[in-house]
Amino acid sequence: MTGTSTRPLGATGADVTALTLGTSALGRTERVDDDTAAQVLASALDAGLTVDTSNEYGGGNSEVRVGRAWAERPGTASLLATKVDPLPGGPFDAERVRTSIAESRERLGMDHLAVVSLHDPERISFEDAVAPDGPWRALLELREQGVVGAVGVAGGPVGLLRRFVATGEAQYVVTHNRWTLLDRSAGALLDDCAERGLGVFNAAPFGGGLLAKAPGTPGATYAYREAPPALLEAAAAMAAACERHGTDLATAALVFSLREPRVTSTIAGVTRVEQWERALAQAGADLTDELFAELEEHLPGPENWLLARES
């Protein structure tokens, strides 16, 4: 498998690449300057990679940078996915969704947005989200009007995402941190999507940091918080196993997601061109079933998964 290989995003009619460039960090001007962001985006677009962004990333700066790079490459084979978001502290309702879409269209320089997610619906209740004046209904109406193409939901809590899948209206989901070498919380969600023929983007295959760093690195995090001892111990054991098999933990973590048949595309975020080039090389690594069987022996118990905190 390579990061540039394509597959259909469920029944949406859109094709996505196995590896998708995540641009959350690329929108943060305090971390990434304009030139560096442009280089990363140029590299991904020239390779035809799917690109994932959001209305709120970098206060909108991610979409601005993506739109600028897109405009410089007319006819690119890449697919763009974005998300609707509320303003910080503001309501997440139908009106805000329509405004969010208008903002994204302007920043990206696109009249039609091919793939759009309702982002982090855990910020409101499911009932409010699917109400007649809620954000989900507004997004579906925009799909009916042809303003957007495929519509999905991107968020954290697995139980909530499964409720959106059960409506029969979502065409794909984006899950993060819940299908990694260390956490299998999204298993039932992936089953739901496979049964319904929905596409799945699996984001944060490195768990937000822990699986991308050498064991013992100070400040290692998992899912945007300090990693608990059970995950630190498991990551160290997995890293040792990877070394015995001639690879490293980060490569195994990425290939783990890429080799999962229920996952359509894996979203990896980077801040430098060399990181992106490394991810593409990792995606093509030929790792054995024996390695993954050994890694499975070190999987922490379900009580350490994110699902246990959400139940």
Side-chain angles (χ1 to χ4, degrees):
M1 176 184 293
T2 67
T4 58
S5 60
T6 61
R7 65 280 302 273
L9 182 63
T12 65
D15 289 334
V16 296
T17 46
L19 193 60
T20 288
L21 172 66
T23 64
S24 175
L26 285 181
R28 298 172 61 181
T29 56
E30 74 278 11
R31 288 188 58 188
V32 185
D33 61 41
D34 283 341
D35 288 343
T36 301
Q39 291 168 10
V40 172
L41 288 165
S43 177
L45 293 176
D46 287 345
L49 271 292
T50 301
V51 175
D52 174 78
T53 184
S54 181
N55 181 283
E56 74 173 2
Y57 289 165
N61 194 54
S62 174
E63 287 186 331
V64 170
R65 286 175 164 177
V66 171
R68 188 181 301 137
W70 208 277
E72 294 173 353
R73 285 161 181 77
T76 177
S78 296
L79 180 75
L80 176 69
T82 192
K83 310 176 188 73
V84 293
D85 290 283
L87 294 174
F92 204 6
D93 54 16
E95 181 179 359
R96 175 55 200 163
V97 164
R98 289 187 284 268
T99 302
S100 181
I101 288 292
E103 292 168 349
S104 295
R105 292 168 71 188
E106 181 176 1
R107 293 171 188 151
L108 295 167
M110 299 177 179
D111 290 331
H112 177 78
L113 303 179
V115 178
V116 182
S117 303
L118 183 72
H119 195 195
D120 288 346
E122 56 265 34
R123 291 180 275 204
I124 58 177
S125 71
F126 176 76
E127 290 73 20
D128 286 343
V130 300
D133 59 348
W136 181 244
R137 190 58 49 199
L139 197 53
L140 295 178
E141 290 173 357
L142 288 166
R143 181 177 67 184
E144 293 170 3
Q145 295 166 8
V147 176
V148 305
V151 167
V153 59
V158 169
L160 179 58
L161 297 188
R162 295 185 71 192
R163 293 185 72 179
F164 279 97
V165 170
T167 67
E169 297 167 328
Q171 295 170 283
Y172 67 91
V173 299
V174 184
T175 180
H176 63 81
N177 289 293
R178 290 159 175 81
W179 190 257
T180 72
L181 284 175
L182 296 171
D183 191 315
R184 310 298 163 78
S185 297
L189 173 65
L190 299 189
D191 284 342
D192 289 349
C193 292
E195 290 169 6
R196 292 175 175 269
L198 271 61
V200 174
F201 287 96
N202 187 38
F206 306 115
L210 179 57
L211 291 166
K213 299 178 180 179
T217 301
T221 61
Y222 190 92
Y224 322 118
R225 67 191 73 180
E226 183 178 356
L231 296 193
L232 293 173
E233 294 170 7
M238 288 180 177
C242 288
E243 186 174 354
R244 289 193 295 273
H245 285 263
T247 188
D248 58 82
L249 186 59
T251 299
L254 186 60
V255 173
F256 170 78
S257 179
L258 291 168
R259 78 200 299 262
E260 169 55 56
R262 295 169 296 176
V263 168
T264 315
S265 183
T266 299
I267 301 174
V270 303
T271 57
R272 300 189 305 276
V273 171
E274 53 266 32
Q275 289 178 326
W276 185 239
E277 292 174 342
R278 182 165 62 248
L280 285 172
Q282 290 170 330
D286 185 17
L287 304 185
T288 66
D289 291 340
E290 288 75 16
L291 167 61
F292 287 103
E294 186 171 344
L295 295 178
E296 203 71 14
E297 296 174 1
H298 302 295
L299 174 67
E303 69 276 8
N304 298 295
W305 300 351
L306 293 173
L307 187 63
R309 304 179 193 173
E310 298 162 357
S311 301

